[in-house]
Amino acid sequence: MTATPARSRRSRSAIPIALAACLLTVAGCGAEIDENSASEERSVEVRRCGEMVTYHDPQRTIAYEAGSADKMFALGLDDQMLGYVMTPTNPDPSTSPYADHYAKKPLLSDALLNKEVVIQEKADMVVAGWNSGFSEKRGITPEILDSLGVQSFMHTETCYNYPGFPEKQRPFEALYTDMERLGQIYGVEDKASEVVADMNKRMDAVRSSVPSDAPRPSVFLYDSGTDQASTVGNQVPADEIIDAAGGTNIFHDLDERYTTVGWESVVAKNPEVIMVMNYRDKPAEQKIQDLKANPALRDVPAIKNDRIYVIDYNECISGPRNVDGAEKFAAWLAENR
């Protein structure tokens, strides 16, 4: 992948910046707000991964997958959200903590995020992740949307390998950063601070609930796959969920988000717990049957002792439900040590 030279992209506006002539610095994440009283449009400079971008009062936002939509809902930004794009991987929105919010917003597409739906719906903002929604291969990147006058925001968790402007944070730190940056973009900084404070408080409670002398079981997260296994490295929330709850991701040393490994690698790590990710189109029940039928795993402690935990897909992708996932897994481990 060839990165665009930094000189040509640095500090560019997501749309033309004619209204950003009078920027004044405000506190928090390097934001700058346009205080030009002659203009009714609010402008603010906020990082998009490692790049400073000027945002102009987005009012027609498309959210890709539940992680993006949940962040918007948690910040009370329903009115600024046009609708959402959600693939069948995501569990039914009617089962989510934000079911009432989803019921009031249209599903714009159940396919992967694409430029056509953005143009068709006349969106002025898209919230998604790098290589998780945005994709050079599919022809929908922040740079392409910039050229069309459509603003975009990327989940910080996905930024560690963003070409030209990478940014690397631990997954929960990245989640908090997203809430703060979205708060600045949409002018709801106080609400964002409140949401982040609550998340931090709950995560502190999760970590403190794990006895210091408690054994830390090794955990294999099983995403999917039969010939090989799709799992996670240290660049996704599931890794930190496992750690905070008192376990250890057996592939924590991999500097990856999602990756594929051979079954022999799983067996060599001898996991004591298997965490199975539940999709709508690939339910956990079938995955568990596949795991138990796999002869290579016959002697793995997690299979022998039937220590298998099911986690919701939307508790694994960057969003407010990451905290729910950590709380639930910590409670399960406490009962199954």
Side-chain angles (χ1 to χ4, degrees):
M1 182 181 300
T2 302
T4 301
R7 183 175 300 173
S8 66
R9 297 174 62 194
R10 189 174 303 279
S11 299
R12 67 172 180 270
S13 170
I15 60 177
I17 57 172
L19 295 173
C22 187
L23 291 172
L24 298 177
T25 302
V26 298
C29 290
E32 294 181 346
I33 294 179
D34 186 354
E35 298 292 351
N36 189 345
S37 60
S39 171
E40 295 182 359
E41 185 179 71
R42 179 179 181 277
S43 297
V44 61
E45 276 201 356
V46 178
R47 287 193 180 278
R48 183 177 66 191
C49 294
E51 175 183 22
M52 290 301 294
V53 172
T54 302
Y55 291 90
H56 302 280
D57 199 21
Q59 296 296 317
R60 293 177 61 81
T61 301
I62 290 178
Y64 179 67
E65 289 204 311
S68 302
D70 288 1
K71 288 174 183 176
M72 297 285 290
F73 293 145
L75 292 173
L77 297 172
D78 301 51
D79 289 347
Q80 287 80 9
M81 188 168 148
L82 177 63
Y84 60 94
V85 172
M86 192 172 291
T87 65
T89 299
N90 291 253
D92 191 334
S94 68
T95 66
S96 85
Y98 300 97
D100 291 346
H101 299 264
Y102 280 106
K104 297 173 184 176
K105 294 296 172 181
L107 171 65
L108 303 175
S109 172
D110 63 359
L112 293 170
L113 184 65
N114 59 75
K115 185 171 59 179
E116 288 69 27
V117 71
V118 175
I119 295 171
Q120 176 183 312
E121 298 295 337
K122 297 181 172 61
D124 65 1
M125 174 73 152
V126 179
V127 179
W130 177 245
N131 285 332
S132 175
F134 296 121
S135 166
E136 280 196 332
K137 186 176 181 180
R138 295 199 315 278
I140 180 165
T141 67
E143 190 167 14
I144 289 170
L145 292 183
D146 287 349
S147 71
L148 297 173
V150 180
Q151 305 173 96
S152 61
F153 180 82
M154 280 186 291
H155 303 306
T156 305
E157 172 248 319
T158 69
C159 289
Y160 79 104
N161 63 353
Y162 178 54
F165 298 92
E167 181 177 12
K168 188 173 181 180
Q169 297 185 16
R170 286 292 287 149
F172 273 84
E173 180 187 359
L175 169 62
Y176 306 151
T177 295
D178 286 349
M179 303 308 285
E180 291 165 353
R181 290 177 179 174
L182 287 168
Q184 292 163 359
I185 291 168
Y186 290 93
V188 291
E189 293 92 335
D190 289 346
K191 179 63 175 178
S193 295
E194 176 187 318
V195 170
V196 170
D198 179 65
M199 289 179 175
N200 263 310
K201 181 179 179 180
R202 290 168 62 191
M203 287 304 298
D204 285 345
V206 169
R207 294 185 179 97
S208 64
S209 72
V210 181
S212 59
D213 59 348
R216 298 185 66 86
S218 54
V219 181
F220 164 53
L221 185 141
Y222 178 55
D223 178 341
S224 59
T226 51
D227 293 339
Q228 290 187 305
S230 175
T231 188
V232 298
N234 59 35
Q235 293 298 306
V236 291
D239 178 76
E240 202 164 355
I241 286 172
I242 292 168
D243 177 73
T248 301
N249 174 14
I250 63 172
F251 292 111
H252 171 76
D253 59 330
L254 297 180
D255 203 25
E256 303 277 357
R257 295 184 69 241
Y258 292 86
T259 190
T260 301
V261 298
W263 290 111
E264 63 278 5
S265 297
V266 177
V267 173
K269 298 283 188 178
N270 211 34
E272 298 164 276
V273 174
I274 296 178
M275 176 184 281
V276 179
M277 200 183 300
N278 190 36
Y279 296 177
R280 180 167 35 172
D281 59 348
K282 296 179 183 177
E285 292 79 4
Q286 182 58 55
K287 295 181 184 181
I288 292 171
Q289 290 179 29
D290 292 341
L291 288 168
K292 290 183 174 180
N294 188 335
L297 301 177
R298 181 176 53 204
D299 295 325
V300 166
I303 296 294
K304 289 175 66 175
N305 300 318
D306 199 27
R307 296 185 73 194
I308 299 176
Y309 177 81
V310 175
I311 187 167
D312 190 281
Y313 173 81
N314 289 315
E315 292 172 352
C316 292
I317 61 175
S318 181
R321 282 186 259 179
N322 295 156
V323 182
D324 300 339
E327 290 172 336
K328 292 175 186 178
F329 188 49
W332 186 89
L333 281 182
E335 295 175 1
N336 294 273
R337 292 200 183 280

